Amino acid sequence: MSQAPSTPKPRPEPDAPDLSEGWSEQRSRLRRDLRRLDVLFFLICTLVGLDTIGSVAAQGPQGLTWMAILALVFFLPYGLLVAELGSAFPVQGGPYVWTRLAFGRLTAGVNQLLYWISNPVWVGGSLCIIALTTWEEFFTPLPGGWKYAAGLAFIWGGALAVVQSVRIGKWVPIAGAVARIVLLGFFLVSVVVYAAQHGIHALPAGDFAPTYAGFVALVPVLIFNYVGFELPSSAAEEMKNPRRDIPLSILRSGLAALVLYGGPILGILFVLPGDRIGSLGGFIDACKAVFTVYGGSIASDGTVTLTGAGAVFGGIAAAGLIIGLLTSGVTWAMGAHRAQAVACADGAGPAWLGHISEKHGTPVRVNLLSAVLASLLFVVALNLTGGDGEKYFAAGLGLTICTTFISYVVTFPSLAVLRRKYPSVPRPYSVPGGRFGVRLVSALATVFVAFTVVVLIWPGFGVGWFGTAGSAADSLPESFAGQRLQYTLSQVVPLALFVGIGLAFYAAGGRTRREKG
């Protein structure tokens, strides 16, 4: 029996991109439960990371200067860029879809793998070590196997939150945003009380002068503080009205982030002597110092002892900090994991990872795989560093930022490409300035993240060149002093491995691509 010739599948019009083929069954399991206020709290929880406040304060007053400069030349263009992409292409998967439409499936697939895998690196790295350090500072030591048990409990507690339906899971970023506002607000009030009783450390005007060496040291952490606008777009089809809510939420959360970062960093500088501000414990140490106004004392060697109400407030603040760290990882995971699931369903990864749970409406398989990777990284890194928290923190944070920013180097230029390829797509919000404005915004955002990748792999890049002050060796993290090769390998080797995993994922998606045609 002869078969009728199959009707060719219609190709999407250039002004109406559609990647839904093969995704419709999974899409039907998504639930539109995210409202505008939910998106705002989601972004506050994403942008305001408590793990980097100490790193900025450790560079002194010029950290605030560079924070203000980068707010204008990076944070603003980046917000404009994502506001247009998120409102013009409100499709589940967000950044993956944008790069897929602009540069094709292979590039987008490997790029998305880097974006996704940075989350387990972050959770199993700097977030976990700060949470453990905070616990030991305020509660009890974690000797031997207890440190491993506590770290794994932190990782899998977050995983349990990520797998929940969006109706339940959205309360995690809401709780995280509230915890940040309360914790940082109470810290600032305590700084004022502390200053009234003990005075503050003078901050000479000359210390605010920006230097290139300071810029190289600060740019990775500051820009990492400023990223995350694109994450809600990964759950665009779970929002009530993404075209309206994404641009408004970006504006409001951006202003909130500037206040919630700037105030605590200034407070740390006022309270702690410059030589006592560390990247890992800067915020923790400042909290302990200011809470002595409620009960406690500071010894001549700087040792802080909290008593009475001071110890109570210290314990509450420590719990709030740990909750804030956990919710940072969970919120980023909620976005990055969804985008990875879309990539796998589209043929850029193993099809079984693109599955959306009928019960939860979330990519449970990706979530669990991420928790397994974070656990492995935590255990391996803790052993490789011999339990050295500072070294573990520096390597983990650097790798997290580097991996994320390499993906941004590809994602950010998609704005200009999509404006050219799909000029007729409705854009509820458009970057002002026409073609020039789009190119300027894309170039600024891309150049800064690309430069950040360079200085992360080679700290001190350009220091001492063309008459600039300082030594490149001084830009290495203190825990890697004199160990440039060791630090560089801690970044380059995992990055090469991640790219290899991305290519393997793409190869595993071959069957899906053939079925999609």
Side-chain angles (χ1 to χ4, degrees), residues 226-296:
Y226 281 153
V227 296
F229 278 145
E230 73 286 345
L231 281 167
S233 293
S234 296
E237 294 179 40
E238 296 169 78
M239 295 183 195
K240 295 288 186 181
N241 192 340
R243 293 185 182 274
R244 178 199 65 189
D245 295 343
I246 288 174
L248 285 173
S249 298
I250 286 174
L251 172 63
R252 294 169 181 174
S253 62
L255 294 174
L258 291 174
V259 174
L260 291 172
Y261 272 130
I265 291 170
L266 187 61
I268 293 173
L269 295 174
F270 278 143
V271 171
L272 293 181
D275 59 357
R276 281 182 46 210
I277 302 176
S279 296
L280 173 57
F283 183 60
I284 301 170
D285 294 338
C287 284
K288 291 184 71 173
V290 298
F291 290 160
T292 57
V293 299
Y294 308 114

Side-chain angles (χ1 to χ4, degrees), residues 50 179-180 183 315-325:
L50 301 176
R180 284 160 170 74
L183 173 61
I316 294 173
L321 177 57
I322 293 172
I323 291 172
L325 294 169

Side-chain angles (χ1 to χ4, degrees), residues 333-356:
M334 290 172 69
H337 295 184
R338 281 165 165 78
Q340 184 61 41
V342 171
C344 291
D346 186 50
W352 64 275
L353 282 177
H355 178 79
I356 302 297

